[in-house]
Amino acid sequence: MLFLVAALMLLGVVLGTVAHAPITFTAVAAAVIAVWLGVFALRERHARRHTPSH
């Protein structure tokens, strides 16, 4: 998942979307997205383990 965030950030730099933003802002935004995806993944894993199967 972190690889996906890094790949998207690199793609944004290559395409020029993130090129005009300061590197600190880009790094903070990437970290926020990585944390959000991590929390989402943990919630999904927890939900799948604790739901009764039909």
Side-chain angles (χ1 to χ4, degrees), residues 1 3 11-16 20 25-26 28 30 33-34 36-38 41-42 44 47-48 50-53:
M1 197 171 314
F3 174 76
L11 180 64
V13 170
V14 170
L15 293 178
H20 301 290
F25 174 77
T26 304
V28 168
I33 292 170
W36 177 60
L37 288 173
L42 288 174
E44 285 294 315
R48 290 180 193 266
H50 290 42
T51 56
S53 59

PDB file of all heavy atoms in Angstrom, residues 1 3 11-16 20 25-26 28 30 33-34 36-38 41-42 44 47-48 50-53:
ATOM      1  N   MET A   1       0.829  -1.179   0.000  1.00  0.00           N
ATOM      2  CA  MET A   1       0.000   0.000   0.000  1.00  0.00           C
ATOM      3  C   MET A   1       0.881   1.253   0.000  1.00  0.00           C
ATOM      4  O   MET A   1       0.551   2.221  -0.672  1.00  0.00           O
ATOM      5  CB  MET A   1      -0.916  -0.024   1.210  1.00  0.00           C
ATOM      6  CG  MET A   1      -2.059   0.927   1.083  1.00  0.00           C
ATOM      7  SD  MET A   1      -3.303   0.778   2.346  1.00  0.00           S
ATOM      8  CE  MET A   1      -3.584  -0.950   2.444  1.00  0.00           C
ATOM      9  N   PHE A   3       3.741   1.359  -1.263  1.00  0.00           N
ATOM     10  CA  PHE A   3       4.290   1.406  -2.615  1.00  0.00           C
ATOM     11  C   PHE A   3       3.335   2.143  -3.548  1.00  0.00           C
ATOM     12  O   PHE A   3       3.767   2.922  -4.396  1.00  0.00           O
ATOM     13  CB  PHE A   3       4.552  -0.011  -3.131  1.00  0.00           C
ATOM     14  CG  PHE A   3       4.985  -0.045  -4.561  1.00  0.00           C
ATOM     15  CD1 PHE A   3       6.272   0.309  -4.906  1.00  0.00           C
ATOM     16  CD2 PHE A   3       4.100  -0.416  -5.559  1.00  0.00           C
ATOM     17  CE1 PHE A   3       6.684   0.293  -6.234  1.00  0.00           C
ATOM     18  CE2 PHE A   3       4.492  -0.433  -6.882  1.00  0.00           C
ATOM     19  CZ  PHE A   3       5.789  -0.076  -7.222  1.00  0.00           C
ATOM     20  N   LEU A  11       4.299   9.628  -9.835  1.00  0.00           N
ATOM     21  CA  LEU A  11       3.548   9.910 -11.059  1.00  0.00           C
ATOM     22  C   LEU A  11       3.105  11.371 -11.085  1.00  0.00           C
ATOM     23  O   LEU A  11       3.175  12.029 -12.126  1.00  0.00           O
ATOM     24  CB  LEU A  11       2.331   8.990 -11.165  1.00  0.00           C
ATOM     25  CG  LEU A  11       1.445   9.171 -12.389  1.00  0.00           C
ATOM     26  CD1 LEU A  11       2.227   8.819 -13.654  1.00  0.00           C
ATOM     27  CD2 LEU A  11       0.206   8.314 -12.271  1.00  0.00           C
ATOM     28  N   GLY A  12       2.655  11.870  -9.950  1.00  0.00           N
ATOM     29  CA  GLY A  12       2.260  13.276  -9.876  1.00  0.00           C
ATOM     30  C   GLY A  12       3.411  14.219 -10.150  1.00  0.00           C
ATOM     31  O   GLY A  12       3.250  15.239 -10.833  1.00  0.00           O
ATOM     32  N   VAL A  13       4.594  13.884  -9.636  1.00  0.00           N
ATOM     33  CA  VAL A  13       5.767  14.716  -9.897  1.00  0.00           C
ATOM     34  C   VAL A  13       6.120  14.673 -11.380  1.00  0.00           C
ATOM     35  O   VAL A  13       6.405  15.700 -11.993  1.00  0.00           O
ATOM     36  CB  VAL A  13       6.958  14.261  -9.027  1.00  0.00           C
ATOM     37  CG1 VAL A  13       8.241  14.955  -9.465  1.00  0.00           C
ATOM     38  CG2 VAL A  13       6.677  14.541  -7.562  1.00  0.00           C
ATOM     39  N   VAL A  14       6.089  13.481 -11.948  1.00  0.00           N
ATOM     40  CA  VAL A  14       6.438  13.345 -13.362  1.00  0.00           C
ATOM     41  C   VAL A  14       5.452  14.106 -14.247  1.00  0.00           C
ATOM     42  O   VAL A  14       5.834  14.767 -15.206  1.00  0.00           O
ATOM     43  CB  VAL A  14       6.493  11.855 -13.761  1.00  0.00           C
ATOM     44  CG1 VAL A  14       6.619  11.691 -15.264  1.00  0.00           C
ATOM     45  CG2 VAL A  14       7.643  11.177 -13.047  1.00  0.00           C
ATOM     46  N   LEU A  15       4.192  14.044 -13.915  1.00  0.00           N
ATOM     47  CA  LEU A  15       3.183  14.712 -14.736  1.00  0.00           C
ATOM     48  C   LEU A  15       3.087  16.204 -14.456  1.00  0.00           C
ATOM     49  O   LEU A  15       2.403  16.923 -15.161  1.00  0.00           O
ATOM     50  CB  LEU A  15       1.813  14.062 -14.519  1.00  0.00           C
ATOM     51  CG  LEU A  15       1.683  12.637 -15.030  1.00  0.00           C
ATOM     52  CD1 LEU A  15       0.304  12.080 -14.712  1.00  0.00           C
ATOM     53  CD2 LEU A  15       1.945  12.576 -16.519  1.00  0.00           C
ATOM     54  N   GLY A  16       3.722  16.666 -13.383  1.00  0.00           N
ATOM     55  CA  GLY A  16       3.718  18.093 -13.097  1.00  0.00           C
ATOM     56  C   GLY A  16       2.632  18.532 -12.145  1.00  0.00           C
ATOM     57  O   GLY A  16       2.533  19.708 -11.825  1.00  0.00           O
ATOM     58  N   HIS A  20       4.669  21.919  -8.541  1.00  0.00           N
ATOM     59  CA  HIS A  20       4.606  23.308  -8.119  1.00  0.00           C
ATOM     60  C   HIS A  20       4.370  23.444  -6.625  1.00  0.00           C
ATOM     61  O   HIS A  20       4.449  24.550  -6.104  1.00  0.00           O
ATOM     62  CB  HIS A  20       3.518  24.042  -8.889  1.00  0.00           C
ATOM     63  CG  HIS A  20       3.739  24.012 -10.361  1.00  0.00           C
ATOM     64  ND1 HIS A  20       4.761  24.702 -10.973  1.00  0.00           N
ATOM     65  CD2 HIS A  20       3.109  23.348 -11.354  1.00  0.00           C
ATOM     66  CE1 HIS A  20       4.727  24.478 -12.278  1.00  0.00           C
ATOM     67  NE2 HIS A  20       3.732  23.647 -12.539  1.00  0.00           N
ATOM     68  N   PHE A  25       5.043  20.012   1.715  1.00  0.00           N
ATOM     69  CA  PHE A  25       3.597  19.816   1.570  1.00  0.00           C
ATOM     70  C   PHE A  25       3.297  18.483   0.901  1.00  0.00           C
ATOM     71  O   PHE A  25       2.401  17.753   1.323  1.00  0.00           O
ATOM     72  CB  PHE A  25       2.985  20.954   0.746  1.00  0.00           C
ATOM     73  CG  PHE A  25       1.536  20.741   0.441  1.00  0.00           C
ATOM     74  CD1 PHE A  25       0.566  20.967   1.404  1.00  0.00           C
ATOM     75  CD2 PHE A  25       1.135  20.284  -0.798  1.00  0.00           C
ATOM     76  CE1 PHE A  25      -0.776  20.754   1.139  1.00  0.00           C
ATOM     77  CE2 PHE A  25      -0.199  20.061  -1.085  1.00  0.00           C
ATOM     78  CZ  PHE A  25      -1.160  20.301  -0.106  1.00  0.00           C
ATOM     79  N   THR A  26       4.064  18.163  -0.118  1.00  0.00           N
ATOM     80  CA  THR A  26       3.875  16.897  -0.825  1.00  0.00           C
ATOM     81  C   THR A  26       4.127  15.718   0.095  1.00  0.00           C
ATOM     82  O   THR A  26       3.362  14.746   0.105  1.00  0.00           O
ATOM     83  CB  THR A  26       4.820  16.832  -2.041  1.00  0.00           C
ATOM     84  OG1 THR A  26       4.570  17.966  -2.869  1.00  0.00           O
ATOM     85  CG2 THR A  26       4.585  15.574  -2.837  1.00  0.00           C
ATOM     86  N   VAL A  28       3.947  15.662   3.413  1.00  0.00           N
ATOM     87  CA  VAL A  28       2.891  15.608   4.433  1.00  0.00           C
ATOM     88  C   VAL A  28       1.610  15.032   3.836  1.00  0.00           C
ATOM     89  O   VAL A  28       0.948  14.185   4.449  1.00  0.00           O
ATOM     90  CB  VAL A  28       2.643  17.003   5.047  1.00  0.00           C
ATOM     91  CG1 VAL A  28       1.380  17.029   5.887  1.00  0.00           C
ATOM     92  CG2 VAL A  28       3.842  17.429   5.885  1.00  0.00           C
ATOM     93  N   ALA A  30       1.360  13.007   1.287  1.00  0.00           N
ATOM     94  CA  ALA A  30       1.580  11.580   1.049  1.00  0.00           C
ATOM     95  C   ALA A  30       1.482  10.795   2.352  1.00  0.00           C
ATOM     96  O   ALA A  30       0.919   9.693   2.386  1.00  0.00           O
ATOM     97  CB  ALA A  30       2.935  11.359   0.392  1.00  0.00           C
ATOM     98  N   ILE A  33      -2.214  10.498   3.355  1.00  0.00           N
ATOM     99  CA  ILE A  33      -2.890   9.507   2.520  1.00  0.00           C
ATOM    100  C   ILE A  33      -2.475   8.097   2.927  1.00  0.00           C
ATOM    101  O   ILE A  33      -3.316   7.193   2.996  1.00  0.00           O
ATOM    102  CB  ILE A  33      -2.587   9.768   1.033  1.00  0.00           C
ATOM    103  CG1 ILE A  33      -3.253  11.067   0.598  1.00  0.00           C
ATOM    104  CG2 ILE A  33      -3.045   8.608   0.160  1.00  0.00           C
ATOM    105  CD1 ILE A  33      -2.827  11.553  -0.776  1.00  0.00           C
ATOM    106  N   ALA A  34      -1.197   7.893   3.221  1.00  0.00           N
ATOM    107  CA  ALA A  34      -0.716   6.571   3.634  1.00  0.00           C
ATOM    108  C   ALA A  34      -1.362   6.144   4.944  1.00  0.00           C
ATOM    109  O   ALA A  34      -1.780   4.987   5.098  1.00  0.00           O
ATOM    110  CB  ALA A  34       0.800   6.582   3.763  1.00  0.00           C
ATOM    111  N   TRP A  36      -4.255   7.214   6.124  1.00  0.00           N
ATOM    112  CA  TRP A  36      -5.668   6.980   5.852  1.00  0.00           C
ATOM    113  C   TRP A  36      -5.877   5.607   5.207  1.00  0.00           C
ATOM    114  O   TRP A  36      -6.789   4.862   5.596  1.00  0.00           O
ATOM    115  CB  TRP A  36      -6.188   8.092   4.942  1.00  0.00           C
ATOM    116  CG  TRP A  36      -7.612   7.915   4.532  1.00  0.00           C
ATOM    117  CD1 TRP A  36      -8.698   7.843   5.346  1.00  0.00           C
ATOM    118  CD2 TRP A  36      -8.088   7.761   3.195  1.00  0.00           C
ATOM    119  NE1 TRP A  36      -9.831   7.667   4.575  1.00  0.00           N
ATOM    120  CE2 TRP A  36      -9.490   7.619   3.273  1.00  0.00           C
ATOM    121  CE3 TRP A  36      -7.470   7.749   1.955  1.00  0.00           C
ATOM    122  CZ2 TRP A  36     -10.268   7.454   2.147  1.00  0.00           C
ATOM    123  CZ3 TRP A  36      -8.264   7.589   0.829  1.00  0.00           C
ATOM    124  CH2 TRP A  36      -9.633   7.448   0.932  1.00  0.00           C
ATOM    125  N   LEU A  37      -5.037   5.254   4.239  1.00  0.00           N
ATOM    126  CA  LEU A  37      -5.162   3.944   3.606  1.00  0.00           C
ATOM    127  C   LEU A  37      -4.851   2.820   4.598  1.00  0.00           C
ATOM    128  O   LEU A  37      -5.494   1.765   4.561  1.00  0.00           O
ATOM    129  CB  LEU A  37      -4.231   3.853   2.399  1.00  0.00           C
ATOM    130  CG  LEU A  37      -4.642   4.668   1.182  1.00  0.00           C
ATOM    131  CD1 LEU A  37      -3.549   4.636   0.129  1.00  0.00           C
ATOM    132  CD2 LEU A  37      -5.949   4.170   0.619  1.00  0.00           C
ATOM    133  N   GLY A  38      -3.890   3.032   5.483  1.00  0.00           N
ATOM    134  CA  GLY A  38      -3.565   2.028   6.494  1.00  0.00           C
ATOM    135  C   GLY A  38      -4.717   1.798   7.459  1.00  0.00           C
ATOM    136  O   GLY A  38      -5.061   0.659   7.777  1.00  0.00           O
ATOM    137  N   ALA A  41      -7.415  -0.095   5.657  1.00  0.00           N
ATOM    138  CA  ALA A  41      -7.078  -1.515   5.498  1.00  0.00           C
ATOM    139  C   ALA A  41      -7.266  -2.272   6.808  1.00  0.00           C
ATOM    140  O   ALA A  41      -7.789  -3.390   6.814  1.00  0.00           O
ATOM    141  CB  ALA A  41      -5.644  -1.660   5.002  1.00  0.00           C
ATOM    142  N   LEU A  42      -6.840  -1.680   7.908  1.00  0.00           N
ATOM    143  CA  LEU A  42      -7.015  -2.340   9.207  1.00  0.00           C
ATOM    144  C   LEU A  42      -8.488  -2.496   9.562  1.00  0.00           C
ATOM    145  O   LEU A  42      -8.901  -3.538  10.081  1.00  0.00           O
ATOM    146  CB  LEU A  42      -6.291  -1.549  10.297  1.00  0.00           C
ATOM    147  CG  LEU A  42      -4.772  -1.622  10.253  1.00  0.00           C
ATOM    148  CD1 LEU A  42      -4.172  -0.683  11.291  1.00  0.00           C
ATOM    149  CD2 LEU A  42      -4.293  -3.044  10.461  1.00  0.00           C
ATOM    150  N   GLU A  44     -10.991  -2.740   7.459  1.00  0.00           N
ATOM    151  CA  GLU A  44     -11.551  -3.768   6.579  1.00  0.00           C
ATOM    152  C   GLU A  44     -11.138  -5.165   7.045  1.00  0.00           C
ATOM    153  O   GLU A  44     -11.961  -6.073   7.065  1.00  0.00           O
ATOM    154  CB  GLU A  44     -11.085  -3.545   5.142  1.00  0.00           C
ATOM    155  CG  GLU A  44     -11.776  -2.393   4.470  1.00  0.00           C
ATOM    156  CD  GLU A  44     -13.252  -2.644   4.267  1.00  0.00           C
ATOM    157  OE1 GLU A  44     -13.622  -3.742   3.821  1.00  0.00           O
ATOM    158  OE2 GLU A  44     -14.049  -1.744   4.580  1.00  0.00           O
ATOM    159  N   ALA A  47     -13.122  -5.987  10.145  1.00  0.00           N
ATOM    160  CA  ALA A  47     -14.531  -6.240   9.833  1.00  0.00           C
ATOM    161  C   ALA A  47     -14.719  -7.611   9.189  1.00  0.00           C
ATOM    162  O   ALA A  47     -15.690  -8.312   9.477  1.00  0.00           O
ATOM    163  CB  ALA A  47     -15.074  -5.152   8.919  1.00  0.00           C
ATOM    164  N   ARG A  48     -13.805  -8.017   8.344  1.00  0.00           N
ATOM    165  CA  ARG A  48     -13.926  -9.319   7.673  1.00  0.00           C
ATOM    166  C   ARG A  48     -13.693 -10.471   8.643  1.00  0.00           C
ATOM    167  O   ARG A  48     -14.261 -11.539   8.469  1.00  0.00           O
ATOM    168  CB  ARG A  48     -12.956  -9.408   6.505  1.00  0.00           C
ATOM    169  CG  ARG A  48     -13.349  -8.520   5.364  1.00  0.00           C
ATOM    170  CD  ARG A  48     -12.367  -8.639   4.219  1.00  0.00           C
ATOM    171  NE  ARG A  48     -12.559  -7.574   3.248  1.00  0.00           N
ATOM    172  CZ  ARG A  48     -13.308  -7.686   2.168  1.00  0.00           C
ATOM    173  NH1 ARG A  48     -13.923  -8.815   1.910  1.00  0.00           N
ATOM    174  NH2 ARG A  48     -13.424  -6.686   1.335  1.00  0.00           N
ATOM    175  N   HIS A  50     -14.436 -10.457  11.876  1.00  0.00           N
ATOM    176  CA  HIS A  50     -15.422 -10.519  12.951  1.00  0.00           C
ATOM    177  C   HIS A  50     -16.864 -10.590  12.483  1.00  0.00           C
ATOM    178  O   HIS A  50     -17.781 -10.511  13.271  1.00  0.00           O
ATOM    179  CB  HIS A  50     -15.237  -9.327  13.876  1.00  0.00           C
ATOM    180  CG  HIS A  50     -13.980  -9.390  14.686  1.00  0.00           C
ATOM    181  ND1 HIS A  50     -12.777  -9.784  14.179  1.00  0.00           N
ATOM    182  CD2 HIS A  50     -13.763  -9.118  15.979  1.00  0.00           C
ATOM    183  CE1 HIS A  50     -11.860  -9.748  15.110  1.00  0.00           C
ATOM    184  NE2 HIS A  50     -12.424  -9.344  16.229  1.00  0.00           N
ATOM    185  N   THR A  51     -17.086 -10.722  11.193  1.00  0.00           N
ATOM    186  CA  THR A  51     -18.462 -10.887  10.709  1.00  0.00           C
ATOM    187  C   THR A  51     -18.778 -12.366  10.588  1.00  0.00           C
ATOM    188  O   THR A  51     -17.951 -13.148  10.102  1.00  0.00           O
ATOM    189  CB  THR A  51     -18.659 -10.196   9.348  1.00  0.00           C
ATOM    190  OG1 THR A  51     -17.693 -10.719   8.427  1.00  0.00           O
ATOM    191  CG2 THR A  51     -18.506  -8.698   9.451  1.00  0.00           C
ATOM    192  N   PRO A  52     -19.951 -12.784  11.010  1.00  0.00           N
ATOM    193  CA  PRO A  52     -20.299 -14.197  10.871  1.00  0.00           C
ATOM    194  C   PRO A  52     -20.505 -14.574   9.403  1.00  0.00           C
ATOM    195  O   PRO A  52     -21.118 -13.812   8.643  1.00  0.00           O
ATOM    196  CB  PRO A  52     -21.615 -14.330  11.646  1.00  0.00           C
ATOM    197  CG  PRO A  52     -22.157 -12.952  11.717  1.00  0.00           C
ATOM    198  CD  PRO A  52     -20.990 -12.004  11.642  1.00  0.00           C
ATOM    199  N   SER A  53     -19.984 -15.700   9.011  1.00  0.00           N
ATOM    200  CA  SER A  53     -20.156 -16.145   7.631  1.00  0.00           C
ATOM    201  C   SER A  53     -21.525 -16.810   7.474  1.00  0.00           C
ATOM    202  O   SER A  53     -21.980 -17.527   8.346  1.00  0.00           O
ATOM    203  CB  SER A  53     -19.033 -17.105   7.228  1.00  0.00           C
ATOM    204  OG  SER A  53     -19.043 -18.210   8.101  1.00  0.00           O
TER     205      SER A  53
END
